[in-house]
Amino acid sequence: MGWNTHIYEAEYYFPEGTTVEEITQKLKEEINNRPRYRLITDPEQIQKLFTRQGQENSVINAYHNKIVKDEHLTIFCTHTTKLCRFVDDMAFTFHLENGNFVCLRGFSISRIGGGDMYQNSRNVNGLLDSQKFNIRDRKVLQE
């Protein structure tokens, strides 16, 4: 597992009292300050992530065939690899219960298919394991 898959998904848990706004701001700063990462905010670009050819490599596969409706609770971006310039799509979704922030689910999915050699996990964990985030727990859902 891991090196030959095309998707990585994990949940990140933060200390009590952490807000969606706080994590959103920090995550967008991290994406914007790193080379080869690109924040996607245009609705048409986001829609293309869900309608790309090759169902298994589409973002909709990672969302278990559901289209995300609450864009304000989701951050979309891409990562381009340094050497071969492969593009991976990424999404971070905030999960709430009774209006309270519970966790952030992050995933990365390769556009080219299997054989990512752990790049998808590096994409997500590279952003969230920085000193700016105070993650208290991480649960890998799919790798």
Side-chain angles (χ1 to χ4, degrees):
M1 293 187 77
W3 72 271
N4 67 349
T5 62
H6 73 284
I7 187 169
Y8 176 84
E9 182 178 20
E11 288 181 345
Y12 299 84
Y13 296 88
F14 301 86
E16 194 169 323
T18 304
T19 65
V20 169
E21 294 78 15
E22 177 185 349
I23 300 301
T24 297
Q25 180 182 354
K26 289 180 182 179
L27 186 54
K28 286 181 177 181
E29 283 176 13
E30 282 295 306
I31 293 166
N32 288 326
N33 290 333
R34 291 179 181 234
R36 300 187 310 277
Y37 283 87
R38 185 175 64 88
L39 188 64
I40 300 173
T41 56
D42 177 40
E44 287 183 27
Q45 294 281 330
I46 292 170
Q47 186 62 31
K48 285 181 183 179
L49 297 176
F50 289 92
T51 57
R52 194 172 51 247
Q53 294 291 331
Q55 183 66 12
E56 73 175 25
N57 299 328
S58 175
V59 171
I60 198 166
N61 182 47
Y63 272 110
H64 309 289
N65 296 320
K66 296 176 188 164
I67 294 184
V68 178
K69 298 292 184 196
D70 294 325
E71 286 85 6
H72 67 281
L73 294 176
T74 304
I75 297 171
F76 295 98
C77 65
T78 61
H79 174 265
T80 304
T81 60
K82 188 174 187 175
L83 186 60
C84 295
R85 314 293 298 162
F86 295 133
V87 177
D88 299 324
D89 297 314
M90 301 171 63
F92 298 91
T93 305
F94 295 92
H95 290 269
L96 308 174
E97 282 182 14
N98 299 323
N100 297 319
F101 174 46
V102 176
C103 72
L104 177 68
R105 181 173 288 172
F107 78 85
S108 177
I109 185 167
S110 298
R111 289 184 181 180
I112 62 166
D116 81 333
M117 297 182 279
Y118 297 105
Q119 183 60 51
N120 284 308
S121 65
R122 286 191 301 269
N123 291 346
V124 177
N125 292 323
L127 283 174
L128 291 174
D129 285 346
S130 73
Q131 293 298 318
K132 291 185 179 184
F133 295 93
N134 187 14
I135 296 169
R136 69 173 170 81
D137 195 17
R138 178 181 69 196
K139 177 182 171 187
V140 176
L141 303 175
Q142 190 172 345
E143 117 179 287

